[in-house]
């Protein structure tokens, strides 16, 4: 009699998930991991961004000075922002600075980016490095350097111009020339960053589009207006927004070069916030003015974002 031995059937079991099985499921573990990574960043934002913003909003409705008790005064600070002649003039100076700085810096950056993007230009890397060097320097340090260059007695710029028969004078103390001079220093310092952004946008444009335009008989100007500009719509919108925000927040070079003078001709909104908050100790009014500037910056940024986004969509 033959005895047949039957082996037990072994069923396949999939491998266990990494980490084994614990009291928490995989999705719950992932959520806890994400939260653990977010908590340090959110804590820093809460302490140094959200809490100061909330405190500034509360102070804007008080007569806080940093000393003594605070009293709630409602919208009085906001009313003063739009009725004080000095504040209205500071707003006008800020608008003038923005109108001068933004187009000049953007146009210069785009022109240099087009030149440096040309493969026929020798030593492109060297020129890019030289042009980017001013952006590395601190704006306050650059302003100090330009202050000495523009000095009417010992400044090199005035010395060189006198050799050409040109008497520049003390432009930083001239109510007409002070603002253009401050804008010039800011453009010299900042255009390199916008130039790099434009270079990145130009290098993303396929060369086949330019070749097709050439085959259709399009000249350099036609290729620029019909190929380059439309495809740089998003990049141009980004640069315009960043340049506008930088112009509205201008402080360093104005503080170093003119201090808001002469005769308040370069006194911008941020300079006025500094004056009211740290010199006049009117923290409530400075907070209200800060929030007015914040809202104005947000509105202008949104308008530019929608306009440039619509142009880019129409181009595509």
């Amino acid at each position: 009699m033959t005895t047949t031995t039957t082996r037990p059937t072994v069923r396949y079991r999939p491998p266990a998930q990494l980490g084994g099985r614990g009291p928490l499921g995989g999705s719950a573990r992932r959520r806890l991991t994400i939260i653990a990574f977010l908590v340090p960043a959110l804590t820093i934002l809460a302490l140094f961004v959200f809490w100061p913003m909330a405190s500034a909003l509360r102070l804007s409705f008080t007569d806080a000075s940093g000393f003594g008790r605070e009293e709630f005064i409602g919208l009085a600070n906001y009313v003063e922002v739009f009725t004080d002649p000095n504040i209205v003039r500071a707003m006008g100076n800020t608008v003038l600075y923005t109108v001068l700085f933004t187009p000049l810096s953007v146009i210069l950056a785009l022109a240099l980016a087009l030149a440096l993007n040309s493969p026929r230009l020798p030593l492109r890397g060297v020129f890019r490095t030289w042009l980017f060097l001013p952006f590395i320097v601190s704006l306050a340090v650059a302003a100090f350097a330009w202050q000495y260059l523009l000095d009417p007695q010992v400044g090199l710029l005035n010395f060189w111009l006198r050799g050409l028969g040109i008497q520049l004078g003390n432009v930083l103390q001239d109510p007409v020339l002070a603002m253009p001079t401050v804008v010039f220093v800011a453009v010299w310092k900042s255009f390199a960053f916008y130039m790099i952004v434009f270079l990145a946008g130009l290098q993303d444009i396929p060369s086949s589009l330019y070749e097709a335009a050439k085959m259709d008989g399009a000249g350099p100007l036609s290729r620029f207006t019909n190929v380059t500009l439309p495809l740089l719509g998003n990049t141009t919108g980004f640069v315009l927004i960043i340049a506008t925000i930088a112009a509205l927040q201008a402080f360093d070079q104005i503080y170093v070069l003119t201090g808001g003078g002469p005769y308040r001709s370069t006194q911008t909104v941020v300079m006025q916030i500094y004056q009211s908050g740290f010199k006049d100790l009117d923290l409530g009014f400075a907070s209200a003015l800060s929030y007015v500037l914040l809202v104005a910056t947000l509105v202008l940024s949104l308008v530019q974002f929608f306009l440039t986004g619509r142009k880019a969509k129409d181009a595509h």
Side-chain angles (χ1 to χ4, degrees), residues 143 147 150 170-175 177-183 251-268 271:
Q147 189 176 39
L150 295 169
N170 194 350
V171 293
L172 296 178
Q173 294 301 318
D174 189 322
L177 297 177
M179 181 63 80
T181 304
V182 169
V183 171
F251 176 79
D252 302 47
Q253 73 277 16
I254 298 176
Y255 180 79
V256 172
L257 290 172
T258 64
Y263 309 111
R264 305 181 69 91
S265 60
T266 59
Q267 183 84 349
T268 59
M271 283 292 301

Side-chain angles (χ1 to χ4, degrees), residues 58-65 68-74 77 284:
R58 179 185 62 82
L59 288 176
S60 67
F61 297 104
T62 67
D63 62 349
S65 62
R69 298 183 60 182
E70 306 168 2
E71 291 187 7
F72 179 79
I73 59 175
N77 287 325

Side-chain angles (χ1 to χ4, degrees), residues 13-181:
R13 293 182 179 179
Q17 295 182 356
L18 292 177
R21 292 185 178 180
L24 295 175
S27 60
R29 233 178 239 183
R30 283 194 295 271
R31 284 196 294 269
L32 288 177
T33 303
I34 293 171
I35 293 172
F37 277 105
L38 287 176
V39 163
L42 291 177
T43 303
I44 293 174
L45 285 175
L47 290 175
F48 297 103
V49 178
F50 301 137
W51 173 250
M53 288 182 66
S55 299
L57 182 61
R58 179 185 62 82
L59 288 176
S60 67
F61 297 104
T62 67
D63 62 349
S65 62
F67 302 95
R69 298 183 60 182
E70 306 168 2
E71 291 187 7
F72 179 79
I73 59 175
L75 297 175
N77 287 325
Y78 290 95
V79 173
E80 185 179 355
V81 166
F82 295 101
T83 56
D84 189 332
N86 290 329
I87 308 303
V88 174
R89 184 177 182 184
M91 291 181 179
N93 290 336
T94 304
V95 172
L96 176 61
Y97 182 95
T98 305
V99 169
L100 292 175
F101 172 82
T102 303
L104 285 175
S105 57
V106 172
I107 293 173
L108 179 62
L110 179 58
L112 290 173
L114 290 170
L116 294 176
N117 193 53
S118 174
R120 293 176 295 181
L121 179 68
L123 301 175
R124 286 191 298 168
V126 175
F127 285 119
R128 290 178 184 181
T129 303
W130 286 348
L131 291 173
F132 193 74
L133 284 177
F135 182 74
I136 301 175
V137 182
S138 168
L139 185 54
V141 173
F144 274 115
W146 276 102
Q147 189 176 39
Y148 283 104
L149 285 172
L150 295 169
D151 189 276
Q153 303 299 327
V154 297
L156 287 176
L157 187 59
N158 275 283
F159 175 77
W160 293 332
L161 290 176
R162 277 196 297 268
L164 299 174
I166 301 174
Q167 187 66 33
L168 188 61
N170 194 350
V171 293
L172 296 178
Q173 294 301 318
D174 189 322
V176 177
L177 297 177
M179 181 63 80
T181 304

Side-chain angles (χ1 to χ4, degrees), residues 133-315:
L133 284 177
F135 182 74
I136 301 175
V137 182
S138 168
L139 185 54
V141 173
F144 274 115
W146 276 102
Q147 189 176 39
Y148 283 104
L149 285 172
L150 295 169
D151 189 276
Q153 303 299 327
V154 297
L156 287 176
L157 187 59
N158 275 283
F159 175 77
W160 293 332
L161 290 176
R162 277 196 297 268
L164 299 174
I166 301 174
Q167 187 66 33
L168 188 61
N170 194 350
V171 293
L172 296 178
Q173 294 301 318
D174 189 322
V176 177
L177 297 177
M179 181 63 80
T181 304
V182 169
V183 171
F184 169 78
V185 174
V187 172
W188 172 85
K189 170 67 176 64
S190 306
F191 79 90
F193 172 74
Y194 311 134
M195 180 190 71
I196 294 298
V197 176
F198 275 125
L199 272 173
L202 288 171
Q203 291 173 1
D204 283 341
I205 300 176
S207 59
S208 58
L209 295 177
Y210 292 107
E211 294 173 0
K214 284 183 181 179
M215 293 179 63
D216 290 339
L221 181 60
S222 179
R223 292 196 299 270
F224 174 73
T225 56
N226 295 302
V227 178
T228 304
L229 277 184
L231 294 179
L232 279 181
N234 292 332
T235 304
T236 305
F238 172 77
V239 171
L240 282 172
I241 292 172
I242 296 299
T244 302
I245 293 174
L248 293 174
Q249 296 177 349
F251 176 79
D252 302 47
Q253 73 277 16
I254 298 176
Y255 180 79
V256 172
L257 290 172
T258 64
Y263 309 111
R264 305 181 69 91
S265 60
T266 59
Q267 183 84 349
T268 59
V269 172
V270 178
M271 283 292 301
Q272 186 62 50
I273 293 171
Y274 169 77
Q275 174 75 32
S276 300
F278 294 97
K279 290 188 175 181
D280 300 338
L281 296 180
D282 194 351
L283 298 181
F285 179 76
S287 299
L289 188 55
S290 300
Y291 263 91
V292 171
L293 178 63
L294 173 64
V295 173
T297 304
L298 179 61
V299 170
L300 286 175
S301 300
L302 289 175
V303 169
Q304 289 184 346
F305 175 77
F306 284 117
L307 289 178
T308 54
R310 181 175 298 177
K311 290 181 180 178
K313 188 180 295 184
D314 294 340

